[in-house]
mmCIF file of all heavy atoms in Angstrom:
data_model
loop_
_atom_site.group_PDB
_atom_site.id
_atom_site.type_symbol
_atom_site.label_atom_id
_atom_site.label_comp_id
_atom_site.label_asym_id
_atom_site.label_seq_id
_atom_site.Cartn_x
_atom_site.Cartn_y
_atom_site.Cartn_z
ATOM 1 N N TYR F 229 54.515 129.642 144.465
ATOM 2 C CA TYR F 229 53.347 129.190 143.659
ATOM 3 C C TYR F 229 52.468 128.532 144.556
ATOM 4 O O TYR F 229 52.769 128.072 145.655
ATOM 5 C CB TYR F 229 53.797 128.327 142.499
ATOM 6 C CG TYR F 229 54.629 128.948 141.354
ATOM 7 C CD1 TYR F 229 55.964 128.507 141.371
ATOM 8 C CD2 TYR F 229 54.197 129.947 140.647
ATOM 9 C CE1 TYR F 229 56.739 129.144 140.314
ATOM 10 C CE2 TYR F 229 54.896 130.617 139.674
ATOM 11 C CZ TYR F 229 56.289 130.076 139.576
ATOM 12 O OH TYR F 229 57.074 130.803 138.557
ATOM 13 N N SER F 230 51.211 128.315 144.148
ATOM 14 C CA SER F 230 50.070 127.718 144.973
ATOM 15 C C SER F 230 50.478 126.233 145.214
ATOM 16 O O SER F 230 51.244 125.690 144.475
ATOM 17 C CB SER F 230 48.828 127.923 144.301
ATOM 18 O OG SER F 230 48.628 126.952 143.230
ATOM 19 N N LEU F 231 49.825 125.650 146.254
ATOM 20 C CA LEU F 231 49.978 124.268 146.546
ATOM 21 C C LEU F 231 49.469 123.410 145.298
ATOM 22 O O LEU F 231 50.129 122.414 144.960
ATOM 23 C CB LEU F 231 49.268 123.807 147.754
ATOM 24 C CG LEU F 231 49.812 124.305 149.020
ATOM 25 C CD1 LEU F 231 48.827 124.169 150.196
ATOM 26 C CD2 LEU F 231 51.101 123.646 149.336
ATOM 27 N N ARG F 232 48.401 123.849 144.658
ATOM 28 C CA ARG F 232 47.810 123.125 143.519
ATOM 29 C C ARG F 232 48.792 123.091 142.289
ATOM 30 O O ARG F 232 48.921 122.169 141.719
ATOM 31 C CB ARG F 232 46.535 123.617 143.237
ATOM 32 C CG ARG F 232 45.853 122.963 141.912
ATOM 33 C CD ARG F 232 44.420 123.212 141.784
ATOM 34 N NE ARG F 232 44.144 124.527 141.366
ATOM 35 C CZ ARG F 232 42.894 124.980 141.204
ATOM 36 N NH1 ARG F 232 41.813 124.176 141.428
ATOM 37 N NH2 ARG F 232 42.640 126.195 140.732
ATOM 38 N N THR F 233 49.335 124.315 142.186
ATOM 39 C CA THR F 233 50.395 124.454 141.123
ATOM 40 C C THR F 233 51.574 123.619 141.255
ATOM 41 O O THR F 233 52.002 122.795 140.442
ATOM 42 C CB THR F 233 50.824 125.911 141.042
ATOM 43 O OG1 THR F 233 49.791 126.634 140.605
ATOM 44 C CG2 THR F 233 51.976 126.047 139.922
ATOM 45 N N SER F 234 52.078 123.632 142.565
ATOM 46 C CA SER F 234 53.409 122.847 142.909
ATOM 47 C C SER F 234 53.162 121.347 142.700
ATOM 48 O O SER F 234 53.953 120.627 142.162
ATOM 49 C CB SER F 234 53.831 123.222 144.334
ATOM 50 O OG SER F 234 54.355 124.523 144.347
ATOM 51 N N TYR F 235 51.929 120.834 143.261
ATOM 52 C CA TYR F 235 51.657 119.526 143.057
ATOM 53 C C TYR F 235 51.175 118.941 141.802
ATOM 54 O O TYR F 235 51.299 117.798 141.352
ATOM 55 C CB TYR F 235 50.704 118.952 144.068
ATOM 56 C CG TYR F 235 51.236 118.783 145.478
ATOM 57 C CD1 TYR F 235 50.948 119.779 146.510
ATOM 58 C CD2 TYR F 235 52.048 117.811 145.844
ATOM 59 C CE1 TYR F 235 51.431 119.479 147.814
ATOM 60 C CE2 TYR F 235 52.488 117.655 147.104
ATOM 61 C CZ TYR F 235 52.253 118.469 148.024
ATOM 62 O OH TYR F 235 52.783 118.371 149.333
ATOM 63 N N SER F 236 50.831 120.034 140.887
ATOM 64 C CA SER F 236 50.350 119.541 139.616
ATOM 65 C C SER F 236 51.400 119.578 138.494
ATOM 66 O O SER F 236 51.487 118.789 137.593
ATOM 67 C CB SER F 236 49.280 120.516 139.079
ATOM 68 O OG SER F 236 48.110 120.360 139.998
ATOM 69 N N ILE F 237 52.295 120.589 138.542
ATOM 70 C CA ILE F 237 53.375 120.694 137.461
ATOM 71 C C ILE F 237 54.731 121.123 138.206
ATOM 72 O O ILE F 237 54.632 121.768 139.315
ATOM 73 C CB ILE F 237 53.013 121.763 136.406
ATOM 74 C CG1 ILE F 237 52.852 123.211 137.064
ATOM 75 C CG2 ILE F 237 51.788 121.285 135.690
ATOM 76 C CD1 ILE F 237 52.816 124.285 136.000
ATOM 77 N N ALA F 238 55.639 120.834 137.429
ATOM 78 C CA ALA F 238 57.093 121.225 137.901
ATOM 79 C C ALA F 238 57.545 122.364 137.219
ATOM 80 O O ALA F 238 57.691 122.288 136.022
ATOM 81 C CB ALA F 238 58.062 119.929 137.822
ATOM 82 N N LEU F 239 57.943 123.465 137.936
ATOM 83 C CA LEU F 239 58.302 124.736 137.348
ATOM 84 C C LEU F 239 59.910 124.959 137.792
ATOM 85 O O LEU F 239 60.190 124.662 138.958
ATOM 86 C CB LEU F 239 57.499 125.831 137.765
ATOM 87 C CG LEU F 239 56.087 125.805 137.267
ATOM 88 C CD1 LEU F 239 55.268 126.990 137.891
ATOM 89 C CD2 LEU F 239 56.056 126.019 135.774
ATOM 90 N N VAL F 240 60.657 125.510 136.818
ATOM 91 C CA VAL F 240 62.187 125.610 137.201
ATOM 92 C C VAL F 240 62.352 126.355 138.465
ATOM 93 O O VAL F 240 63.366 126.203 139.184
ATOM 94 C CB VAL F 240 62.872 126.072 135.934
ATOM 95 C CG1 VAL F 240 62.477 127.564 135.755
ATOM 96 C CG2 VAL F 240 64.452 125.949 136.086
ATOM 97 N N ASP F 241 61.537 127.506 138.701
ATOM 98 C CA ASP F 241 61.831 128.442 139.794
ATOM 99 C C ASP F 241 60.957 128.093 140.882
ATOM 100 O O ASP F 241 60.763 129.042 141.999
ATOM 101 C CB ASP F 241 61.606 129.853 139.339
ATOM 102 C CG ASP F 241 60.237 130.158 138.684
ATOM 103 O OD1 ASP F 241 59.553 129.101 138.326
ATOM 104 O OD2 ASP F 241 59.823 131.294 138.564
ATOM 105 N N ASP F 242 60.289 126.961 141.072
ATOM 106 C CA ASP F 242 59.677 126.487 142.269
ATOM 107 C C ASP F 242 60.485 125.846 143.219
ATOM 108 O O ASP F 242 60.893 124.741 143.052
ATOM 109 C CB ASP F 242 58.424 125.578 141.825
ATOM 110 C CG ASP F 242 57.525 125.201 143.063
ATOM 111 O OD1 ASP F 242 57.833 125.704 144.203
ATOM 112 O OD2 ASP F 242 56.447 124.673 142.710
ATOM 113 N N THR F 243 60.821 126.652 144.256
ATOM 114 C CA THR F 243 61.903 126.123 145.219
ATOM 115 C C THR F 243 61.159 125.541 146.473
ATOM 116 O O THR F 243 61.897 125.226 147.411
ATOM 117 C CB THR F 243 62.663 127.311 145.645
ATOM 118 O OG1 THR F 243 61.988 128.327 146.213
ATOM 119 C CG2 THR F 243 63.512 127.798 144.470
ATOM 120 N N ASP F 244 59.885 125.558 146.417
ATOM 121 C CA ASP F 244 59.189 125.103 147.732
ATOM 122 C C ASP F 244 58.723 123.642 147.709
ATOM 123 O O ASP F 244 58.069 123.274 148.757
ATOM 124 C CB ASP F 244 57.946 126.078 147.805
ATOM 125 C CG ASP F 244 58.328 127.460 147.964
ATOM 126 O OD1 ASP F 244 59.293 127.743 148.644
ATOM 127 O OD2 ASP F 244 57.626 128.349 147.420
ATOM 128 N N LEU F 245 58.858 122.924 146.740
ATOM 129 C CA LEU F 245 58.533 121.528 146.696
ATOM 130 C C LEU F 245 59.574 120.727 145.885
ATOM 131 O O LEU F 245 59.783 121.035 144.721
ATOM 132 C CB LEU F 245 57.217 121.285 146.060
ATOM 133 C CG LEU F 245 56.611 119.837 146.223
ATOM 134 C CD1 LEU F 245 56.409 119.468 147.539
ATOM 135 C CD2 LEU F 245 55.316 119.725 145.417
ATOM 136 N N GLU F 246 60.218 119.717 146.571
ATOM 137 C CA GLU F 246 61.292 119.027 145.866
ATOM 138 C C GLU F 246 60.712 118.195 144.794
ATOM 139 O O GLU F 246 59.567 117.947 144.572
ATOM 140 C CB GLU F 246 61.937 118.038 146.936
ATOM 141 C CG GLU F 246 62.804 118.676 147.904
ATOM 142 C CD GLU F 246 63.705 117.599 148.720
ATOM 143 O OE1 GLU F 246 63.277 116.456 148.738
ATOM 144 O OE2 GLU F 246 64.698 117.949 149.329
ATOM 145 N N TYR F 247 61.671 117.884 143.860
ATOM 146 C CA TYR F 247 61.362 117.063 142.675
ATOM 147 C C TYR F 247 62.429 115.999 142.497
ATOM 148 O O TYR F 247 63.634 116.374 142.360
ATOM 149 C CB TYR F 247 61.387 118.060 141.481
ATOM 150 C CG TYR F 247 60.837 117.550 140.147
ATOM 151 C CD1 TYR F 247 59.501 116.970 140.146
ATOM 152 C CD2 TYR F 247 61.513 117.758 138.954
ATOM 153 C CE1 TYR F 247 58.950 116.482 139.007
ATOM 154 C CE2 TYR F 247 60.836 117.281 137.784
ATOM 155 C CZ TYR F 247 59.755 116.590 137.771
ATOM 156 O OH TYR F 247 59.203 116.259 136.629
ATOM 157 N N TYR F 248 62.123 114.836 142.587
ATOM 158 C CA TYR F 248 63.030 113.728 142.630
ATOM 159 C C TYR F 248 64.230 113.919 143.548
ATOM 160 O O TYR F 248 65.386 113.723 143.263
ATOM 161 C CB TYR F 248 63.635 113.570 141.194
ATOM 162 C CG TYR F 248 62.545 113.058 140.171
ATOM 163 C CD1 TYR F 248 61.824 113.909 139.365
ATOM 164 C CD2 TYR F 248 62.181 111.747 140.175
ATOM 165 C CE1 TYR F 248 60.897 113.467 138.571
ATOM 166 C CE2 TYR F 248 61.294 111.291 139.298
ATOM 167 C CZ TYR F 248 60.583 112.191 138.509
ATOM 168 O OH TYR F 248 59.618 111.721 137.621
ATOM 169 N N GLY F 249 63.880 114.437 144.820
ATOM 170 C CA GLY F 249 64.810 114.536 145.819
ATOM 171 C C GLY F 249 65.739 115.701 145.823
ATOM 172 O O GLY F 249 66.565 115.865 146.617
ATOM 173 N N THR F 250 65.606 116.599 144.971
ATOM 174 C CA THR F 250 66.298 117.892 144.949
ATOM 175 C C THR F 250 65.435 118.955 144.377
ATOM 176 O O THR F 250 64.059 118.905 144.373
ATOM 177 C CB THR F 250 67.524 117.637 143.987
ATOM 178 O OG1 THR F 250 68.276 118.871 144.078
ATOM 179 C CG2 THR F 250 67.076 117.442 142.533
ATOM 180 N N SER F 251 65.930 120.161 144.001
ATOM 181 C CA SER F 251 65.158 121.229 143.458
ATOM 182 C C SER F 251 64.679 120.921 142.047
ATOM 183 O O SER F 251 65.410 120.120 141.389
ATOM 184 C CB SER F 251 65.833 122.445 143.459
ATOM 185 O OG SER F 251 67.053 122.411 142.599
ATOM 186 N N THR F 252 63.648 121.510 141.507
ATOM 187 C CA THR F 252 63.331 121.288 140.146
ATOM 188 C C THR F 252 64.337 121.698 139.222
ATOM 189 O O THR F 252 64.630 121.043 138.198
ATOM 190 C CB THR F 252 61.978 122.038 139.891
ATOM 191 O OG1 THR F 252 62.168 123.417 140.222
ATOM 192 C CG2 THR F 252 60.816 121.481 140.642
ATOM 193 N N ALA F 253 65.010 122.819 139.480
ATOM 194 C CA ALA F 253 66.078 123.323 138.594
ATOM 195 C C ALA F 253 67.204 122.339 138.542
ATOM 196 O O ALA F 253 67.835 122.203 137.416
ATOM 197 C CB ALA F 253 66.537 124.709 139.001
ATOM 198 N N GLU F 254 67.547 121.722 139.599
ATOM 199 C CA GLU F 254 68.757 120.736 139.642
ATOM 200 C C GLU F 254 68.324 119.424 139.042
ATOM 201 O O GLU F 254 69.094 118.622 138.651
ATOM 202 C CB GLU F 254 69.229 120.475 141.026
ATOM 203 C CG GLU F 254 70.665 119.940 141.035
ATOM 204 C CD GLU F 254 71.324 120.143 142.424
ATOM 205 O OE1 GLU F 254 70.862 120.919 143.269
ATOM 206 O OE2 GLU F 254 72.529 119.612 142.487
ATOM 207 N N ALA F 255 67.059 118.977 139.217
ATOM 208 C CA ALA F 255 66.539 117.671 138.789
ATOM 209 C C ALA F 255 66.683 117.428 137.279
ATOM 210 O O ALA F 255 66.902 116.224 136.892
ATOM 211 C CB ALA F 255 65.122 117.469 139.371
ATOM 212 N N THR F 256 66.489 118.441 136.504
ATOM 213 C CA THR F 256 66.424 118.234 135.056
ATOM 214 C C THR F 256 66.847 119.547 134.432
ATOM 215 O O THR F 256 66.936 120.570 134.960
ATOM 216 C CB THR F 256 65.081 117.813 134.628
ATOM 217 O OG1 THR F 256 65.051 117.491 133.181
ATOM 218 C CG2 THR F 256 63.964 118.979 134.759
ATOM 219 N N LEU F 257 67.177 119.375 133.191
ATOM 220 C CA LEU F 257 67.707 120.580 132.387
ATOM 221 C C LEU F 257 66.810 121.618 132.018
ATOM 222 O O LEU F 257 67.151 122.754 131.701
ATOM 223 C CB LEU F 257 68.566 119.997 131.206
ATOM 224 C CG LEU F 257 69.742 119.196 131.532
ATOM 225 C CD1 LEU F 257 70.383 118.687 130.122
ATOM 226 C CD2 LEU F 257 70.767 119.909 132.282
ATOM 227 N N PHE F 258 65.580 121.308 131.853
ATOM 228 C CA PHE F 258 64.561 122.286 131.347
ATOM 229 C C PHE F 258 65.053 122.760 129.875
ATOM 230 O O PHE F 258 65.139 123.947 129.756
ATOM 231 C CB PHE F 258 64.390 123.378 132.250
ATOM 232 C CG PHE F 258 63.343 122.994 133.409
ATOM 233 C CD1 PHE F 258 63.849 122.411 134.631
ATOM 234 C CD2 PHE F 258 62.068 123.199 133.274
ATOM 235 C CE1 PHE F 258 62.944 122.227 135.565
ATOM 236 C CE2 PHE F 258 61.211 122.868 134.226
ATOM 237 C CZ PHE F 258 61.589 122.336 135.418
ATOM 238 N N ASN F 259 65.524 121.906 129.126
ATOM 239 C CA ASN F 259 66.029 122.392 127.790
ATOM 240 C C ASN F 259 64.981 122.269 126.696
ATOM 241 O O ASN F 259 63.903 122.009 126.933
ATOM 242 C CB ASN F 259 67.278 121.590 127.447
ATOM 243 C CG ASN F 259 67.033 120.104 127.427
ATOM 244 O OD1 ASN F 259 65.891 119.799 127.425
ATOM 245 N ND2 ASN F 259 68.101 119.261 127.201
ATOM 246 N N SER F 260 65.259 122.640 125.414
ATOM 247 C CA SER F 260 64.437 122.520 124.284
ATOM 248 C C SER F 260 63.203 123.430 124.495
ATOM 249 O O SER F 260 61.989 122.991 124.167
ATOM 250 C CB SER F 260 64.099 120.998 124.050
ATOM 251 O OG SER F 260 65.271 120.400 123.716
ATOM 252 N N LYS F 261 63.327 124.483 125.098
ATOM 253 C CA LYS F 261 62.030 125.402 125.360
ATOM 254 C C LYS F 261 61.094 124.739 126.204
ATOM 255 O O LYS F 261 59.793 124.904 126.071
ATOM 256 C CB LYS F 261 61.552 125.854 124.035
ATOM 257 C CG LYS F 261 62.696 126.653 123.138
ATOM 258 C CD LYS F 261 62.078 127.196 121.814
ATOM 259 C CE LYS F 261 63.015 127.615 120.951
ATOM 260 N NZ LYS F 261 64.083 126.507 120.462
ATOM 261 N N GLU F 262 61.380 123.861 127.099
ATOM 262 C CA GLU F 262 60.478 123.222 127.955
ATOM 263 C C GLU F 262 60.357 123.977 129.341
ATOM 264 O O GLU F 262 61.348 123.990 130.043
ATOM 265 C CB GLU F 262 60.839 121.679 128.195
ATOM 266 C CG GLU F 262 60.967 121.019 126.953
ATOM 267 C CD GLU F 262 61.612 119.600 126.969
ATOM 268 O OE1 GLU F 262 61.872 119.128 128.081
ATOM 269 O OE2 GLU F 262 61.989 118.914 126.079
ATOM 270 N N THR F 263 59.221 124.463 129.679
ATOM 271 C CA THR F 263 59.038 125.471 130.743
ATOM 272 C C THR F 263 58.214 124.889 131.806
ATOM 273 O O THR F 263 57.987 125.558 132.792
ATOM 274 C CB THR F 263 58.519 126.768 130.244
ATOM 275 O OG1 THR F 263 57.305 126.533 129.533
ATOM 276 C CG2 THR F 263 59.522 127.404 129.192
ATOM 277 N N GLY F 264 57.874 123.584 131.700
ATOM 278 C CA GLY F 264 57.125 123.029 132.784
ATOM 279 C C GLY F 264 56.754 121.546 132.501
ATOM 280 O O GLY F 264 56.691 121.169 131.315
ATOM 281 N N TYR F 265 56.638 120.745 133.508
ATOM 282 C CA TYR F 265 56.312 119.289 133.328
ATOM 283 C C TYR F 265 55.191 118.932 134.195
ATOM 284 O O TYR F 265 55.107 119.466 135.388
ATOM 285 C CB TYR F 265 57.446 118.491 133.627
ATOM 286 C CG TYR F 265 58.723 118.767 132.761
ATOM 287 C CD1 TYR F 265 59.759 119.544 133.306
ATOM 288 C CD2 TYR F 265 58.888 118.342 131.476
ATOM 289 C CE1 TYR F 265 60.861 119.823 132.548
ATOM 290 C CE2 TYR F 265 59.955 118.620 130.741
ATOM 291 C CZ TYR F 265 61.015 119.370 131.305
ATOM 292 O OH TYR F 265 62.214 119.734 130.540
ATOM 293 N N PHE F 266 54.422 117.982 133.859
ATOM 294 C CA PHE F 266 53.393 117.393 134.686
ATOM 295 C C PHE F 266 54.028 116.592 135.813
ATOM 296 O O PHE F 266 54.892 115.766 135.570
ATOM 297 C CB PHE F 266 52.298 116.619 133.911
ATOM 298 C CG PHE F 266 51.445 117.334 133.194
ATOM 299 C CD1 PHE F 266 51.433 117.204 131.690
ATOM 300 C CD2 PHE F 266 50.415 118.049 133.552
ATOM 301 C CE1 PHE F 266 50.581 117.892 130.879
ATOM 302 C CE2 PHE F 266 49.569 118.740 132.727
ATOM 303 C CZ PHE F 266 49.730 118.702 131.406
ATOM 304 N N ARG F 267 53.472 116.855 137.077
ATOM 305 C CA ARG F 267 53.998 115.890 138.076
ATOM 306 C C ARG F 267 53.146 114.708 138.212
ATOM 307 O O ARG F 267 53.507 113.667 138.682
ATOM 308 C CB ARG F 267 53.974 116.504 139.470
ATOM 309 C CG ARG F 267 55.173 117.659 139.750
ATOM 310 C CD ARG F 267 55.010 118.135 141.126
ATOM 311 N NE ARG F 267 55.964 119.231 141.328
ATOM 312 C CZ ARG F 267 57.109 119.123 142.175
ATOM 313 N NH1 ARG F 267 57.350 118.012 142.731
ATOM 314 N NH2 ARG F 267 57.868 120.069 142.385
ATOM 315 N N LYS F 268 51.827 114.877 137.811
ATOM 316 C CA LYS F 268 50.795 113.707 137.915
ATOM 317 C C LYS F 268 51.405 112.548 137.196
ATOM 318 O O LYS F 268 51.903 112.585 136.158
ATOM 319 C CB LYS F 268 49.474 114.130 137.392
ATOM 320 C CG LYS F 268 48.748 115.071 138.111
ATOM 321 C CD LYS F 268 47.468 115.564 137.583
ATOM 322 C CE LYS F 268 46.754 116.544 138.288
ATOM 323 N NZ LYS F 268 45.342 116.898 137.745
ATOM 324 N N TYR F 269 51.297 111.371 137.735
ATOM 325 C CA TYR F 269 51.549 110.036 137.315
ATOM 326 C C TYR F 269 53.061 109.717 137.402
ATOM 327 O O TYR F 269 53.568 108.520 137.051
ATOM 328 C CB TYR F 269 51.136 109.825 135.922
ATOM 329 C CG TYR F 269 49.641 110.114 135.709
ATOM 330 C CD1 TYR F 269 49.166 111.040 134.798
ATOM 331 C CD2 TYR F 269 48.747 109.322 136.416
ATOM 332 C CE1 TYR F 269 47.816 111.256 134.687
ATOM 333 C CE2 TYR F 269 47.369 109.516 136.358
ATOM 334 C CZ TYR F 269 46.858 110.529 135.435
ATOM 335 O OH TYR F 269 45.546 110.779 135.301
ATOM 336 N N SER F 270 53.924 110.756 137.867
ATOM 337 C CA SER F 270 55.361 110.445 137.898
ATOM 338 C C SER F 270 55.658 110.015 139.391
ATOM 339 O O SER F 270 54.801 110.146 140.156
ATOM 340 C CB SER F 270 56.179 111.690 137.513
ATOM 341 O OG SER F 270 56.077 112.720 138.441
ATOM 342 N N ASN F 271 56.795 109.547 139.636
ATOM 343 C CA ASN F 271 57.321 109.008 140.962
ATOM 344 C C ASN F 271 58.268 109.939 141.541
ATOM 345 O O ASN F 271 59.170 109.530 142.258
ATOM 346 C CB ASN F 271 57.896 107.638 140.683
ATOM 347 C CG ASN F 271 57.033 106.553 140.296
ATOM 348 O OD1 ASN F 271 56.119 106.094 141.064
ATOM 349 N ND2 ASN F 271 56.872 106.217 139.036
#
């Protein structure tokens, strides 16, 4: 995905930018039909 996309939202299959020190898929469950999260304002 684009740099803007990767820095703006976390997608389960985005393997090119870490999320909380690991991959996005490993960092969280992506359950309850949640298919993306905002990265903005998070640490």
Side-chain angles (χ1 to χ4, degrees):
Y229 298 110
S230 74
L231 289 166
R232 179 163 72 181
T233 295
S234 289
Y235 279 107
S236 297
I237 64 173
L239 298 168
V240 70
D241 56 344
D242 186 353
T243 59
D244 298 323
L245 186 62
E246 284 192 343
Y247 193 50
Y248 292 95
T250 186
S251 68
T252 52
E254 193 164 0
T256 188
L257 296 176
F258 282 88
N259 55 10
S260 302
K261 306 178 187 68
E262 297 168 13
T263 59
Y265 304 101
F266 288 110
R267 285 185 187 252
K268 290 182 182 179
Y269 306 121
S270 68
N271 294 282

